[in-house]
Amino acid sequence: DKGQHRHFMAKEIHEQPSVIARALGAWISEDRTRVSCAAEAIDWRAVPRLTIVACGTAHYASHVAKVWIERVARLPVEIEIASEFRYREPPLPRGGVTMVVSQSGETADSLAALRYAKAMGQTTLGLVNVTTSTIAREADVALPIHAGPEIGVASTKAFTAMVLCLSALAVMIARQRGVIDAAGERARLDLLSTVPRLMAETIALEPQIEALAREISEAGDALFLGRGLMYPLALEGALKLKEITYMHAEGYAAGEIKHGPIALVDETTPVIALAPHDALFDKLASNMREVIGRKGRVAMIGDADACAEMSGEVWRSVTLPRADPLVAPFLYAVAVQFIAYHAALAKGTDVDQPRNLAKSVTVE
Ligand code: F6R
């Protein structure tokens, strides 16, 4: 049931504040002071490394989580694409944990990666949406993301729910490893509790993002740029856009543009810069200026401070709410989802059932 929405994808984008609130509620104690999940049974002090394996959007969610887990819990994280990992058969550290992240829990390459990690003696975690899935059954510990059924082929609410649950996991690991105390844990959870409200405020900016998306839809190609936590969001934005509009889009770590992709910049290609005013903003600002200096059209998604600094220079800008750097990915996820959705509407493509794609990739 799409409710009042034209497409499942629109419904699922709009649902995200309540999905995140529900997932957070399920991952924390009743008094809301500590993370409570099945992965607590693992002794994380003895874990040398966490390996996360996934495909597509789940792979990008894992890249966001890597920053969270390394920064908050100081645990080294390796991210792998399932189809590469399973055939490369890498050595895995003794006592290590391997987590497979999958909305459907049935993705063939992700399942094969799980079986490989198990055979290598790793403790395995399955972070899934579908709790009756094969990956949930076969993992040593199954962790649900509580996103509810996702019907649109392009994943939206599962992406943000994955990031939320992985962030909560990071907080639990940090506590177990003695990196944060009880007050530190509460502070992190308070931060995560702000996500539903900030996402709702971002969703309220849909008309502005729609106007930008319509302009972007007229181009043949688009580039998404970001640094740090915004780099996986740039990859996710490009994936969403190509999936449902069939436009050519690429996501890049902004510092990489001068190593090649800046050659693509011309007067017609929109360059979408994901630009919160965080510690990396100045670096990103110089990348935006490199693009502008080559007559590129920079569409900046930033917060008020970031947009003020670039006003008069960029082609277009959309101002999102201010947010802690660790929370910003949730807001920028909504923005890139709306860009893809409204560009697809402008192009008249089939949003919920894009050509050549299936919701669950059970063959390799
Ligand atoms: C993109 C998308 C795909 C899936 C990928 C993994 O919008 O939906 O890239 O993310 O096929 O699927 P799961 O998470 O079910 O393993």
Side-chain angles (χ1 to χ4, degrees):
D1 179 17
K2 295 191 246 275
Q4 87 250 35
H5 297 284
R6 275 172 74 186
H7 299 97
F8 282 108
M9 185 180 179
K11 171 175 175 265
E12 289 161 3
I13 293 172
H14 283 261
E15 250 171 29
Q16 289 176 105
S18 57
V19 165
I20 295 302
R22 182 172 67 214
L24 188 60
W27 274 69
I28 62 180
S29 60
E30 248 165 54
D31 62 1
R32 302 180 82 84
T33 58
R34 68 201 308 274
V35 178
S36 162
C37 71
E40 274 176 293
I42 294 167
D43 179 5
W44 289 92
R45 286 166 309 179
V47 175
R49 192 180 89 192
L50 172 63
T51 306
I52 307 182
V53 191
C55 302
T57 285
H59 172 241
Y60 298 147
S62 305
H63 270 284
V64 177
K66 174 185 168 81
V67 178
W68 257 90
I69 298 168
E70 289 186 345
R71 201 172 290 172
V72 176
R74 308 302 302 156
L75 175 68
V77 178
E78 288 290 331
I79 309 287
E80 299 263 7
I81 293 172
S83 57
E84 290 294 319
F85 175 86
R86 65 177 288 198
Y87 292 115
R88 201 175 78 250
E89 303 186 338
L92 296 168
R94 191 186 300 273
V97 174
T98 296
M99 172 160 57
V100 175
V101 179
S102 173
Q103 189 285 128
S104 63
E106 301 294 348
T107 301
D109 284 321
S110 302
L111 177 58
L114 173 70
R115 289 176 177 162
Y116 172 74
K118 267 186 118 168
M120 292 291 289
Q122 297 276 292
T123 300
T124 56
L125 297 176
L127 186 80
V128 297
N129 194 30
V130 181
T131 50
T132 52
S133 61
T134 312
I135 288 172
R137 255 195 338 267
E138 292 196 15
D140 294 324
V141 180
L143 300 168
I145 64 168
H146 301 283
E150 190 180 64
I151 310 293
V153 164
S155 185
T156 53
K157 63 177 180 170
F159 174 82
T160 47
M162 283 167 184
V163 173
L164 187 280
C165 296
L166 290 165
S167 308
L169 183 74
V171 174
M172 186 278 288
I173 296 172
R175 180 224 304 150
Q176 264 208 21
R177 290 169 70 87
V179 182
I180 55 172
D181 59 9
E185 178 158 9
R186 272 200 307 279
R188 300 291 181 187
L189 294 182
D190 287 346
L191 197 59
L192 287 176
S193 304
T194 65
V195 171
R197 174 178 56 79
L198 290 168
M199 283 181 107
E201 288 175 22
T202 308
I203 288 170
L205 300 169
E206 181 171 5
Q208 278 155 262
I209 304 171
E210 174 179 356
L212 173 63
R214 288 181 169 279
E215 292 188 279
I216 291 171
S217 74
E218 286 160 20
D221 314 83
L223 274 177
F224 286 78
L225 301 182
R227 284 177 176 259
L229 282 155
M230 291 299 135
Y231 169 39
L233 267 299
L235 297 171
E236 172 66 0
L239 176 65
K240 285 293 90 105
L241 193 68
K242 63 188 130 190
E243 268 187 299
I244 62 169
T245 69
Y246 318 141
M247 286 173 69
H248 170 234
E250 293 199 49
Y252 264 96
E256 277 287 294
I257 56 166
K258 58 172 82 59
H259 302 287
I262 197 150
L264 295 173
V265 168
D266 60 19
E267 298 90 336
T268 62
T269 306
V271 178
I272 301 143
L274 305 179
H277 203 272
D278 59 16
L280 299 169
F281 177 74
D282 290 345
K283 300 287 168 200
L284 185 66
S286 39
N287 299 131
M288 288 191 267
R289 291 188 174 112
E290 284 158 13
V291 171
I292 294 163
R294 287 161 186 82
K295 301 203 173 10
R297 297 199 296 177
V298 172
M300 166 182 188
I301 317 285
D303 52 28
D305 295 333
C307 291
E309 266 193 55
M310 296 300 293
S311 80
E313 294 185 70
V314 294
W315 170 60
R316 296 286 182 268
S317 67
V318 175
T319 308
L320 301 193
R322 278 197 185 83
D324 183 279
L326 286 173
V327 161
F330 295 95
L331 317 192
Y332 291 74
V334 170
V336 300
Q337 291 163 359
F338 274 144
I339 289 175
Y341 177 70
H342 286 290
L345 287 192
K347 282 191 164 305
T349 49
D350 186 341
V351 171
D352 283 334
Q353 290 288 328
R355 70 184 183 203
N356 309 342
L357 292 173
K359 184 65 188 159
S360 177
V361 185
T362 53
V363 291
E364 57 168 302

